[in-house]
Amino acid sequence: MAEKLIFPQEIEVWYILPLIRRKIALKMVEKGLKQKDVAKIMGITPAAVCQYKKEKRAKEDFFDDEMNKELTKSVKNVIKSNEKLAEEIIRLNNLAKSKGIVCKIYKN
């Protein structure tokens, strides 16, 4: 029986983008924003933020120190201007791809 073919875009949608969203949400909470405010900024429910905190969503972490530093920069930009959220998620996703994170996940 042949193995199911998984496309890189599926890995991004299933693993990388949820991780980016979780890390942004948690970092904003860490910076002092309330869960309901984080949820509003990100267009998610407060319950989703709670699930991120309890590691019930996107619990696997594939980021290294460089990615975490870039994440911190992104969160600062998003806090300054909520309109930057999509731009920062795309930037972090592209950085993750350039660092070979998709390949690492695929191999595992």
Side-chain angles (χ1 to χ4, degrees), residues 27-44:
K27 186 63 83 172
M28 286 196 286
V29 169
E30 182 183 301
K31 297 272 186 194
L33 276 75
K34 294 179 181 178
Q35 283 183 211
K36 67 177 184 173
D37 296 329
V38 171
K40 186 175 181 179
I41 290 168
M42 297 188 71
I44 59 178

Side-chain angles (χ1 to χ4, degrees), residues 41-54:
I41 290 168
M42 297 188 71
I44 59 178
T45 65
V49 177
C50 185
Q51 288 180 340
Y52 287 144
K53 287 177 77 174
K54 293 180 180 181

